[in-house]
Amino acid sequence: MRTANWKEYELIDTSCGERLERWGNIILIRPDPQIIWETEKNNILWSKAHARYNRSSSGGGSWTPYKKVPDVWNVKYKDIIFGVKPMGFKHTGIFPEQAVNWDFMYDKIKNAGRPINVLNMFAYTGGATLACAAAGAKVCHVDASKGMVQWARENARLSSLEGAPIRWIVDDCVKFVQREIRRGNKYDAIIMDPPSYGRGPSGEIWRLEDQLFKLVNMCSEILSDNPLFVVLNSYTTGLSPSVMNYLLSTVLLKKYKGRVSADEIGLPVTQTGLVLPCGSTAIFEGDN
């Protein structure tokens, strides 16, 4: 699956472990370990970037500005507006390849013909939340980072969705699902974008490969009797689309009628016409 509907984001070129990207009218260079090819950097914009993220040999890294970069600027995808800023560890607040999933969610909800209640976990700055809300869904947005939830709320305001029926929850996602099971709450659609590694509320180490089967099982307990979809994203190298397909199929198809598909997601590269892979998505679609 590839995202090709952006107008204010562009993956211009890739070479020597780096991406050359346009975010609105700001050009950034960021590292990407998948870019193992050492092709010629013929595009003139390599020398005209506003800033580059340089990794440190001791871990982490920092941004080197070449031109003045705003603290925050806005980038629009269809009717959704995001505040963008260079952050620590090379991020900007958007994973643009996820737009292909936002489009899928929007269309499914818009054409459902019934009210849809969505749970978005590990919800980051709210791209999926806003796509679902724009389509008319009621959304519960959960992330453990207070700063990210606040950023998502600001994106909702920018997108004129501050009045949409969105619950903003700062919480550990696993603990939240466990409480929802006890409360008997149900959702017609669930979105999961868990990190590869992390720490739980008591300092315990989270490894996605160890926890994902348990998490999907728990989520199956809070799905409604007529689920619309479940979307599972992963940027973990060991979790191939086939593995994710098998996981969702094993858990969900024994409970619900529907189908599971999985694929790499990626971004088209303007310079070459090729696609840079950017993780994987598995999707369960209910028969309804």
Side-chain angles (χ1 to χ4, degrees), residues 36 71 89 91 95-96 110 131 175 193 196 215 253 255-256 266 278:
I36 61 174
D71 292 336
F89 199 62
H91 295 305
F95 290 93
K110 202 73 174 173
K175 301 293 186 185
D193 199 349
S196 298
L215 177 62
L253 293 184
K255 281 188 169 186
Y256 304 100
C278 303

Side-chain angles (χ1 to χ4, degrees), residues 48 50 52 64 75 84 90 103 149 158 160 203 248 257:
K48 294 183 178 294
H50 290 75
R52 169 185 256 122
T64 300
V75 170
V84 173
K90 79 178 182 179
D103 288 346
V149 173
L158 291 171
S160 300
L248 285 193
K257 293 182 178 179

Side-chain angles (χ1 to χ4, degrees), residues 87-149:
M87 301 163 59
F89 199 62
K90 79 178 182 179
H91 295 305
T92 61
I94 310 176
F95 290 93
E97 62 275 6
Q98 288 297 326
V100 68
N101 289 325
W102 305 337
D103 288 346
F104 164 80
M105 298 167 196
Y106 181 92
D107 290 342
K108 289 290 288 187
I109 292 167
K110 202 73 174 173
N111 296 317
R114 57 188 171 98
I116 299 297
N117 191 21
V118 178
L119 172 62
N120 185 17
M121 296 189 296
F122 312 97
Y124 198 50
T125 58
T129 293
L130 301 183
C132 294
K138 180 181 177 182
V139 186
C140 182
H141 173 112
V142 185
D143 196 281
S145 168
K146 183 177 180 180
M148 289 301 164
V149 173

Side-chain angles (χ1 to χ4, degrees), residues 7-223:
K7 292 182 173 61
E8 297 190 9
Y9 169 83
E10 179 186 7
L11 180 52
I12 302 166
D13 199 8
T14 62
S15 182
C16 301
E18 292 183 312
R19 301 180 178 198
L20 176 67
E21 302 171 294
R22 177 178 62 83
W23 300 83
N25 60 359
I26 303 295
I27 306 297
L28 300 178
I29 298 173
R30 297 192 296 157
D32 189 321
Q34 291 196 106
I35 301 172
I36 61 174
W37 43 93
E38 298 179 6
T39 49
E40 293 291 329
K41 294 183 175 180
N42 293 322
N43 195 299
I44 193 173
L45 292 175
W46 282 106
S47 63
K48 294 183 178 294
H50 290 75
R52 169 185 256 122
Y53 186 88
N54 296 294
R55 290 195 184 279
S56 168
S57 58
S58 59
S62 61
W63 289 91
T64 300
Y66 301 128
K67 303 176 183 178
K68 183 172 177 56
V69 178
D71 292 336
V72 182
W73 68 98
N74 294 341
V75 170
K76 185 176 183 180
Y77 180 78
K78 296 185 176 179
D79 292 329
I80 302 174
I81 300 175
F82 300 91
V84 173
K85 60 183 176 182
M87 301 163 59
F89 199 62
K90 79 178 182 179
H91 295 305
T92 61
I94 310 176
F95 290 93
E97 62 275 6
Q98 288 297 326
V100 68
N101 289 325
W102 305 337
D103 288 346
F104 164 80
M105 298 167 196
Y106 181 92
D107 290 342
K108 289 290 288 187
I109 292 167
K110 202 73 174 173
N111 296 317
R114 57 188 171 98
I116 299 297
N117 191 21
V118 178
L119 172 62
N120 185 17
M121 296 189 296
F122 312 97
Y124 198 50
T125 58
T129 293
L130 301 183
C132 294
K138 180 181 177 182
V139 186
C140 182
H141 173 112
V142 185
D143 196 281
S145 168
K146 183 177 180 180
M148 289 301 164
V149 173
Q150 185 55 43
W151 194 340
R153 294 186 73 146
E154 174 61 15
N155 287 338
R157 185 192 67 78
L158 291 171
S159 304
S160 300
L161 289 169
E162 65 267 43
I166 304 171
R167 292 174 61 207
W168 304 101
I169 307 292
V170 179
D171 202 352
D172 175 80
C173 291
V174 173
K175 301 293 186 185
F176 178 82
V177 171
Q178 290 171 339
R179 286 195 294 273
E180 291 294 84
I181 292 171
R182 293 195 295 269
R183 289 187 284 243
N185 290 335
K186 301 289 184 180
Y187 296 89
D188 305 297
I190 296 178
I191 305 156
M192 290 175 272
D193 199 349
S196 298
Y197 298 95
R199 290 192 178 273
S202 302
E204 64 271 23
I205 295 175
W206 160 282
R207 290 185 72 253
L208 185 58
E209 298 95 323
D210 298 335
Q211 301 295 330
L212 189 55
F213 181 72
K214 185 188 302 183
L215 177 62
V216 174
N217 261 305
M218 286 194 298
C219 286
S220 72
E221 297 186 47
I222 58 173
L223 275 173

